[in-house]
Structure formats: structure tokens, C-alpha cells
Amino acid sequence: YYPSLGMLGIGDDLFDDHVAHCLRTIDWIAEEHADPASPIYGMADPSNVGLVGHSLGGSVALVAGPQHPNVRTIVSLDAMWDQDD
């Protein structure tokens, strides 16, 4: 969940942080999947990841997905991102 906070644009200012967090979450799921003490042990397929996002989250998914080798699909709904550079 990556809120852009509407017209305030705070989410846009933190876009790179949102992408980095998304990538770290994928790695965390893989770690938890492999840890017998984890409640999600053996329940995930870390080699077959899908990302879904709406609005700014859709843009995060589009940018983060190609950066991680295990992302196989991206669903981006109403992606919206206006970065100057």
C-alpha cells in the first residue's frame, strides 16, 4: 500500500523509497518462506512473484517489477506518476 496522499504529492516525493520497500518486501517473503519458524514457511513461491498496484502503487509496481528477477507479472491499475527527471 503506497499512498500518494492525493494532491499533497508526498508519495511522489518518496517514490524511490516506495520502490525500494517493494523490492525488500519480495526478498523478505522469500526469507520467511525458507524459515521453518515462520508462519508463512513453505506457503509462498518466491520464484514466481506478481505485483499489483493502483495509482501511485501501480507506478511503483511498474518500476520495481523489472528490477527484481523473480517478478513474473505486473498488474498496474490507473498508474500515475509525474517525476521531473
Side-chain angles (χ1 to χ4, degrees):
Y1 174 64
Y2 299 105
S4 66
L5 302 179
M7 298 301 290
L8 296 177
I10 293 171
D12 293 338
D13 293 341
L14 300 174
F15 189 83
D16 293 336
D17 292 334
H18 293 323
V19 170
H21 182 258
C22 183
L23 295 171
R24 283 192 308 271
T25 300
I26 296 169
D27 292 336
W28 175 83
I29 291 169
E31 292 168 10
E32 291 295 303
H33 167 76
D35 180 1
S38 169
I40 65 167
Y41 172 68
M43 295 175 65
D45 181 356
S47 66
N48 191 21
V49 176
L51 301 178
V52 178
H54 173 263
S55 192
L56 183 66
S59 297
V60 168
L62 287 172
V63 173
Q67 295 183 41
H68 200 287
N70 296 348
V71 173
R72 302 288 180 250
T73 191
I74 299 167
V75 177
S76 179
L77 305 169
D78 197 23
M80 186 171 209
W81 180 40
D82 183 21
Q83 187 175 26
D84 295 331
D85 50 5

